[in-house]
Amino acid sequence: MARKPLVNPRKMASQERSRATVDALIEATARILVRDGFDKASTNRIAEEAGVSIGSLYQYYPSKEALVAAVIERHNQQTMRVVRGALAELATLPVEQAVRSLVAIAIEAHRIDPRLHRVIAEQIPRVGQLENVETFSRDNYALFRAYLEAHRDELRIVDAELAAFVCVTSIEALTHMAVLHRPDIASDDAVATLVDEATRLIVRYLRE
Amino acid sequence: MARKPLVNPRKMASQERSRATVDALIEATARILVRDGFDKASTNRIAEEAGVSIGSLYQYYPSKEALVAAVIERHNQQTMRVVRGALAELATLPVEQAVRSLVAIAIEAHRIDPRLHRVIAEQIPRVGQLENVETFSRDNYALFRAYLEAHRDELRIVDAELAAFVCVTSIEALTHMAVLHRPDIASDDAVATLVDEATRLIVRYLRE
Amino acid sequence: MARKPLVNPRKMASQERSRATVDALIEATARILVRDGFDKASTNRIAEEAGVSIGSLYQYYPSKEALVAAVIERHNQQTMRVVRGALAELATLPVEQAVRSLVAIAIEAHRIDPRLHRVIAEQIPRVGQLENVETFSRDNYALFRAYLEAHRDELRIVDAELAAFVCVTSIEALTHMAVLHRPDIASDDAVATLVDEATRLIVRYLRE
Amino acid sequence: MARKPLVNPRKMASQERSRATVDALIEATARILVRDGFDKASTNRIAEEAGVSIGSLYQYYPSKEALVAAVIERHNQQTMRVVRGALAELATLPVEQAVRSLVAIAIEAHRIDPRLHRVIAEQIPRVGQLENVETFSRDNYALFRAYLEAHRDELRIVDAELAAFVCVTSIEALTHMAVLHRPDIASDDAVATLVDEATRLIVRYLRE
DNA sequence: GATGAATGAGCCTTCATTCAT
DNA sequence: TATGAATGAAGGCTCATTCAT
């Protein structure tokens, strides 16, 4: 009965048509997830929305979970793509600029596809073993911790682990909440203030 | 007529026997929610876990949602009971103590039933109209905002709304994350440090 | 499993209070039958409507069927009461008047409680073995057949059985349809014409 | 949105296999309707009787009602096929022959599947908005009324509407009752007499 | 007797998944 | 490979009926 969760795509779609099918499926899944929520996202519905037969769906994804995982994966990758560059040059920046930059990146990341991001964060039963969303957070987190250790002399770092936790968690929470639930705070007009405030929060905390 | 969301209990269990049934149902619901997650919490499963017939379940709760709402309700009330006193005396405290107190309360609140708290926070499709969990947050939030405005002269408050958002969101996130995902940070030994750090984060942010 | 249909009341309610309970139950059943239809008439609902506990309901009637049977029974008896007198004096009347009288009686009978009559006729799965409604028809029918035989000389009666079938069936159908489905035809203004026409139909058929 | 009564088939079975499934379903529904009555015709039972999975049933029919509607539809169509020709040439016939013909047709129609006809007539909660069975009756009725008006000069027609009501209702009732409840009257031997009598009833009624 | 809490068979329906074509 | 018909476990829920109090 309890067949172990198959969460990996079945075959790497090498040929062109396959590629299109796979894309259509992921696109359709994301669309339904956003439009109707996780519970309404049945495989049959996804297949239909993708204009693909249910049989073909299972040709590429062995389970509903695999499909959702693929959507998350793709979302994460899109986020990475947006964020990676900015993240890379963080190391070279002075504290205030680094933090400001990090906050800005976080907001940008949440703005990529906020509705999808929200569904992923709130509705998806944790897929497989990993806490999918957090996977991405980890990188972020490790990177920031490294930054702190590299700048130990400028800052009051007692416990870099703990400090990283405090900073990354706060930034993530503030940007997530603002973008997804507080249009007043994250609007184009207001967002600069949000960045200022978040930066102030973190920088003052980190300084001696 | 069309009262879709049946989220209210059906009848107040008055007799002793029925009181026990209702308790068993809520207890069972909470247990399953924690152990298996929202999606696995079917009414049949809940009834079985409660050692009660499915018919009895529906005698008291008109839907799965109502049951979950009851669990949330109960959890919120437990939280309230723990928190209310502490929250009340906040107003009279100087900033540092007030913040420290707030952080401590938040941690305490998250420790009441962390696993249930997590399920409620992460998995429950928003029941009824209100964003159930946040209902509680709101109080917290309004209260804090009032505090800020009352202490305007001691603090650098440009926008009380925004400042409250930053502080409450951060505290909530830090305590939630620490208690639920970072046993190293929220352990009995370590928790004092966490309180220190969170307090520092908020207080420095608020000061001129 | 398939317990044989228990369609008889459980005990003759001899005492006064019991009598009241039984009445309330039948009344409630009839009301629900008319208002909501057979399918919505659950025993719990009936008990509630009657202001009686479900336990008491089963004290007096061993099944839902028994309850419905009792309603039909009561309706039939009411009908009888209205009709018997008129039916009795039929024998002495000349053909035209007898038929006219029969038609009038039939209309009167259908008007006693048309909505209940309709539910009984259309929705009730045939209870027990007997075709409940027709039970009453039989009397009617036998009586009319006797009349025909008694008036053989005035009429063209080849097969009294068949003639009675033709007449009784037609009268029953016309009055039933008119009263229940054709307000235009059975209205107080129009009903005299209906009687005329039905009488004409039957009398001409019977005459040499 | 709110399209409560799902009474239409879900998809037109195009492939051969599905055609067979759909047939099996309708056949099974009719069989159960006849054998056990409407209330016992549950979707699970129907699927089982059809030798089809419950899932397949719902692939083609969205509800029990839709299935029953399909059975009625099919029955009506069979009736139409039998009756249409005869009905068409009615207009050209002289009164006596026309009526005789109509009676004969009615009997023939009731003989197509008498037990099913009975269930449809007596037990089916009116499906959809229309009084399904009567749909067919209406045609019959309108047609007859037209005939009466066309032959006004030969007949005593005061109120064609009323006259049509009297005739059609009587014929329908007589043939229905005879075929379904009076094997003695509708047997192959006896049926000619029934036709004679019914014809006499109607013709005498209509003549000056 | 009356009460109403409890029961559980059974109904309707969805949906992930398989497999013959 | 693609298709879509078929499957059946499982979920939500109702209701006739029983039985301890």
Side-chain angles (χ1 to χ4, degrees):
Chain A
M1 274 301 84
R3 93 180 51 244
K4 294 311 160 34
L6 299 174
V7 251
N8 299 74
R10 264 187 166 149
K11 47 181 152 190
M12 272 296 97
S14 48
Q15 285 149 34
E16 193 182 348
R17 183 141 61 111
S18 308
R19 185 74 220 144
T21 301
V22 164
D23 280 356
L25 284 169
I26 298 194
E27 213 96 277
T29 305
R31 228 174 305 136
I32 292 178
L33 242 27
V34 166
R35 188 193 326 122
D36 309 304
F38 180 77
D39 285 2
K40 300 285 180 52
S42 73
T43 48
N44 284 300
R45 218 152 165 315
I46 291 171
E48 192 189 8
E49 173 95 20
V52 152
S53 77
I54 183 67
S56 293
L57 183 156
Y58 277 92
Q59 205 102 48
Y60 292 105
Y61 293 94
S63 71
K64 182 184 171 177
E65 276 70 36
L67 223 24
V68 171
V71 168
I72 296 176
E73 174 81 11
R74 197 187 63 163
H75 179 70
N76 281 350
Q77 268 167 21
Q78 282 174 8
T79 305
M80 296 298 196
R81 210 173 307 132
V82 166
V83 161
R84 202 183 325 260
L87 233 39
E89 61 188 32
L90 224 63
T92 67
L93 297 178
V95 177
E96 167 119 23
Q97 278 183 45
V99 169
R100 177 172 299 273
S101 192
L102 195 56
V103 171
I105 293 167
I107 291 174
E108 214 178 327
H110 279 100
R111 278 178 160 173
I112 290 171
D113 191 343
R115 319 233 288 122
L116 180 58
H117 189 92
R118 183 174 177 181
V119 172
I120 292 174
E122 295 180 355
Q123 292 184 34
I124 311 283
R126 304 302 166 248
V127 169
Q129 315 305 47
L130 351 162
E131 318 266 304
N132 47 57
V133 190
E134 285 151 46
T135 281
F136 170 67
S137 260
R138 296 282 168 218
D139 292 0
N140 217 331
Y141 172 83
L143 201 139
F144 193 75
R145 197 189 144 162
Y147 180 89
L148 291 184
E149 275 165 350
H151 293 250
R152 257 213 145 87
D153 47 349
E154 300 171 55
L155 307 169
R156 183 219 56 137
I157 303 296
V158 181
D159 178 346
E161 178 75 17
L162 182 54
F165 168 77
V166 169
C167 297
V168 171
T169 300
S170 297
I171 294 174
E172 163 65 22
L174 289 173
T175 53
H176 180 94
M177 275 299 247
V179 173
L180 295 179
H181 301 279
R182 299 292 303 250
D184 56 328
I185 292 179
S187 72
D188 284 352
D189 284 355
V191 75
T193 310
L194 174 63
V195 174
D196 287 344
E197 293 292 293
T199 304
R200 175 188 168 97
L201 178 78
I202 302 302
V203 168
R204 288 201 155 205
Y205 163 74
L206 287 173
R207 289 234 174 91
E208 199 57 53
Chain B
M1 274 301 86
R3 77 193 122 105
K4 251 311 228 4
L6 296 176
V7 218
N8 293 29
R10 262 178 169 157
K11 53 174 161 187
M12 262 305 135
S14 48
Q15 293 182 12
E16 192 186 344
R17 186 153 56 126
S18 49
R19 185 73 223 144
T21 300
V22 165
D23 281 355
L25 284 169
I26 298 196
E27 215 96 278
T29 306
R31 227 173 307 136
I32 292 179
L33 242 26
V34 166
R35 186 190 332 120
D36 309 303
F38 179 79
D39 284 2
K40 298 288 177 50
S42 74
T43 48
N44 284 305
R45 225 149 158 325
I46 291 172
E48 192 186 9
E49 173 92 21
V52 149
S53 78
I54 184 66
S56 291
L57 185 156
Y58 277 95
Q59 205 131 80
Y60 296 104
Y61 294 95
S63 71
K64 174 183 169 179
E65 278 69 35
L67 232 14
V68 171
V71 168
I72 295 177
E73 173 82 12
R74 198 186 62 163
H75 180 70
N76 280 352
Q77 267 167 21
Q78 284 172 8
T79 304
M80 295 298 192
R81 211 173 308 135
V82 166
V83 160
R84 203 184 322 262
L87 232 41
E89 62 187 32
L90 225 63
T92 66
L93 300 177
V95 176
E96 166 119 22
Q97 277 181 46
V99 170
R100 176 171 299 273
S101 192
L102 195 58
V103 171
I105 294 167
I107 289 174
E108 213 180 326
H110 279 98
R111 276 178 162 174
I112 290 171
D113 191 342
R115 319 236 282 125
L116 179 59
H117 188 93
R118 180 175 177 185
V119 173
I120 292 174
E122 296 180 353
Q123 292 184 32
I124 311 287
R126 305 303 165 248
V127 169
Q129 313 306 45
L130 352 162
E131 320 262 306
N132 46 58
V133 191
E134 283 151 47
T135 281
F136 172 67
S137 258
R138 293 286 166 215
D139 291 359
N140 218 331
Y141 173 83
L143 202 139
F144 194 74
R145 199 190 142 161
Y147 181 89
L148 292 183
E149 275 165 353
H151 294 250
R152 259 213 146 86
D153 47 349
E154 302 168 54
L155 306 169
R156 185 219 54 139
I157 303 296
V158 180
D159 179 344
E161 177 77 16
L162 183 54
F165 168 78
V166 169
C167 296
V168 172
T169 301
S170 297
I171 293 174
E172 163 66 22
L174 289 172
T175 54
H176 180 95
M177 275 300 242
V179 173
L180 295 178
H181 302 279
R182 299 292 302 249
D184 55 329
I185 290 179
S187 72
D188 284 351
D189 285 355
V191 76
T193 310
L194 173 62
V195 174
D196 287 343
E197 293 294 295
T199 304
R200 174 188 168 98
L201 178 79
I202 302 302
V203 168
R204 288 199 156 209
Y205 164 72
L206 288 174
R207 290 237 173 89
E208 197 59 53
Chain C
M1 274 299 85
R3 94 182 47 241
K4 295 310 160 34
L6 300 174
V7 249
N8 298 74
R10 265 188 167 148
K11 48 180 149 190
M12 272 296 99
S14 49
Q15 286 149 35
E16 192 183 346
R17 183 139 63 109
S18 307
R19 185 76 220 142
T21 301
V22 163
D23 280 356
L25 284 170
I26 297 193
E27 213 96 276
T29 305
R31 227 175 305 136
I32 293 179
L33 242 26
V34 166
R35 187 191 330 121
D36 310 305
F38 179 77
D39 284 1
K40 298 285 177 52
S42 71
T43 48
N44 285 299
R45 217 149 165 319
I46 291 172
E48 193 189 8
E49 174 96 18
V52 151
S53 77
I54 183 67
S56 294
L57 183 156
Y58 277 92
Q59 205 104 48
Y60 292 104
Y61 293 95
S63 72
K64 182 183 171 177
E65 276 70 36
L67 223 24
V68 171
V71 168
I72 296 176
E73 174 79 12
R74 198 187 62 162
H75 179 70
N76 281 351
Q77 267 167 22
Q78 284 174 8
T79 305
M80 295 298 194
R81 211 173 308 134
V82 166
V83 160
R84 203 184 322 261
L87 234 40
E89 61 188 33
L90 226 62
T92 65
L93 299 177
V95 176
E96 167 118 22
Q97 277 182 47
V99 169
R100 178 172 298 273
S101 191
L102 195 58
V103 171
I105 293 168
I107 290 174
E108 213 180 327
H110 280 100
R111 276 177 163 174
I112 291 172
D113 191 343
R115 320 235 284 122
L116 180 59
H117 190 92
R118 183 173 178 181
V119 172
I120 292 174
E122 295 181 354
Q123 292 183 33
I124 311 284
R126 304 299 165 251
V127 168
Q129 314 304 50
L130 352 161
E131 320 264 305
N132 47 61
V133 191
E134 285 151 44
T135 282
F136 169 66
S137 260
R138 295 285 167 213
D139 291 0
N140 217 331
Y141 171 82
L143 202 140
F144 193 74
R145 198 189 144 163
Y147 181 90
L148 291 183
E149 275 166 351
H151 294 249
R152 259 212 144 86
D153 47 351
E154 300 170 53
L155 306 169
R156 184 218 55 137
I157 304 298
V158 181
D159 178 344
E161 178 74 17
L162 182 55
F165 168 78
V166 168
C167 297
V168 172
T169 299
S170 297
I171 294 173
E172 162 64 22
L174 289 173
T175 53
H176 180 95
M177 274 299 242
V179 172
L180 296 178
H181 302 279
R182 298 292 303 250
D184 56 327
I185 290 178
S187 72
D188 284 351
D189 285 356
V191 76
T193 310
L194 173 62
V195 174
D196 287 345
E197 293 294 295
T199 304
R200 176 189 168 95
L201 178 78
I202 302 303
V203 168
R204 287 201 155 205
Y205 165 71
L206 288 174
R207 288 235 174 90
E208 199 57 56
Chain D
M1 275 298 90
R3 77 191 122 102
K4 250 312 226 8
L6 296 175
V7 216
N8 294 32
R10 261 182 170 153
K11 51 174 162 188
M12 262 304 129
S14 48
Q15 294 182 13
E16 191 187 345
R17 186 155 54 126
S18 48
R19 185 73 222 145
T21 300
V22 165
D23 281 355
L25 285 170
I26 297 195
E27 215 96 279
T29 305
R31 228 175 305 136
I32 292 178
L33 242 27
V34 165
R35 187 190 331 120
D36 309 303
F38 179 78
D39 284 3
K40 299 288 179 48
S42 75
T43 48
N44 283 303
R45 225 148 158 325
I46 292 172
E48 192 187 7
E49 173 91 22
V52 149
S53 78
I54 184 65
S56 291
L57 183 155
Y58 277 95
Q59 204 130 80
Y60 295 103
Y61 294 94
S63 69
K64 175 184 169 178
E65 278 70 37
L67 232 13
V68 171
V71 168
I72 296 177
E73 174 82 11
R74 199 186 60 165
H75 180 70
N76 279 351
Q77 267 168 20
Q78 283 174 7
T79 305
M80 296 297 193
R81 211 173 308 135
V82 167
V83 160
R84 203 185 321 263
L87 232 40
E89 61 188 32
L90 224 63
T92 65
L93 299 178
V95 177
E96 166 119 21
Q97 276 181 49
V99 170
R100 177 173 299 273
S101 190
L102 195 58
V103 171
I105 292 168
I107 290 173
E108 214 179 326
H110 280 97
R111 276 180 163 171
I112 290 172
D113 191 340
R115 321 235 287 121
L116 180 59
H117 189 93
R118 180 175 177 185
V119 172
I120 293 174
E122 296 180 354
Q123 292 183 33
I124 311 287
R126 306 299 166 250
V127 168
Q129 315 305 46
L130 354 161
E131 318 264 304
N132 45 58
V133 190
E134 284 151 48
T135 281
F136 173 66
S137 257
R138 295 282 165 220
D139 291 0
N140 219 329
Y141 173 82
L143 203 139
F144 192 75
R145 202 191 138 158
Y147 181 87
L148 292 184
E149 275 165 351
H151 294 249
R152 258 212 147 85
D153 48 349
E154 301 169 52
L155 306 169
R156 184 218 56 139
I157 304 296
V158 181
D159 178 346
E161 177 76 16
L162 182 56
F165 169 77
V166 169
C167 296
V168 171
T169 301
S170 298
I171 293 174
E172 163 66 20
L174 289 173
T175 52
H176 180 95
M177 276 300 247
V179 173
L180 295 178
H181 300 279
R182 301 292 301 250
D184 55 328
I185 291 179
S187 70
D188 283 352
D189 284 356
V191 76
T193 310
L194 174 63
V195 174
D196 286 345
E197 293 293 292
T199 304
R200 175 187 167 97
L201 179 78
I202 302 302
V203 168
R204 288 197 154 209
Y205 165 73
L206 288 173
R207 289 237 173 90
E208 199 58 53

